[in-house]
Amino acid sequence: MDFSSAAGPFRAGRCCAHGAHAAASGFPSSPERGVPNRARQARFGFGPDRRLSRRGEFERLLTHGTRRSFSGYTFYIERRGAGAPRLGILVSKRHSAKATERNGIKRCIREAFRLEQSRLEGIDVLIRPPLGARGSAAMLARVRELLGRVAP
């Protein structure tokens, strides 16, 4: 017996509702295609091209970057040619034993960088917050102010 015809539209693991929803929405099913206003979003975005993620990049900034400290925050800065600014964040367990608090600190720093990146053309910035810092609106405002000082 051949049951393949009985499976019908469920062979690929999708139901009829999925196809109907995709057709009704007018957008392709892939999230990479058809995103409206992509150019406007990229201006304030924080994609992979704006992040320092490799160990070598962090070590390069720590050894060869210009070190500046403002009110407990330490910035390691290195000028590149043209291009988008890139951010690295150093938050260890010494800042907080709880991962949720460390993530809150990183979230605030990323948001401040995202909002100020238009002034930071062509530089790599590595930020180490002071010990005992907590993610909050006040921290966000403070980091934005400090990034303004770092800007050329």
Side-chain angles (χ1 to χ4, degrees), residues 66-83:
T66 304
R67 181 180 171 170
R68 298 181 72 187
S69 294
F70 301 110
S71 60
Y73 291 86
T74 306
F75 294 84
Y76 297 90
I77 306 154
E78 186 173 73
R79 302 234 178 263
R80 293 183 293 121

Side-chain angles (χ1 to χ4, degrees), residues 5-138:
S5 62
F10 299 106
R11 259 183 264 146
R14 294 186 175 186
C15 65
C16 298
H18 173 74
H21 175 64
S25 69
F27 288 106
S29 60
S30 175
E32 295 85 35
R33 293 181 279 152
V35 177
N37 301 324
R38 170 149 270 171
R40 191 178 71 195
Q41 291 174 356
R43 180 177 166 207
F44 292 107
F46 189 67
D49 60 325
R50 306 280 171 106
R51 300 177 189 160
L52 297 173
S53 57
R54 298 182 187 271
R55 180 179 179 164
E57 295 170 335
F58 276 72
E59 288 177 354
R60 178 180 47 84
L61 278 173
L62 289 169
T63 57
H64 301 297
T66 304
R67 181 180 171 170
R68 298 181 72 187
S69 294
F70 301 110
S71 60
Y73 291 86
T74 306
F75 294 84
Y76 297 90
I77 306 154
E78 186 173 73
R79 302 234 178 263
R80 293 183 293 121
R86 298 187 302 175
L87 173 70
I89 304 171
L90 285 174
V91 179
S92 67
K93 285 189 179 181
R94 291 181 63 197
H95 288 88
S96 175
K98 294 183 178 181
T100 54
E101 292 177 4
R102 291 193 304 272
N103 290 338
I105 294 169
K106 291 187 272 187
R107 213 174 281 126
C108 283
I109 293 172
R110 276 193 301 266
E111 180 65 10
F113 177 82
R114 190 185 70 79
L115 295 171
E116 296 296 321
Q117 66 186 337
S118 61
R119 295 196 284 172
L120 303 171
E121 285 297 319
I123 65 172
D124 290 343
V125 179
L126 182 62
I127 301 176
R128 177 181 286 164
L131 296 178
R134 296 288 173 254
S136 65

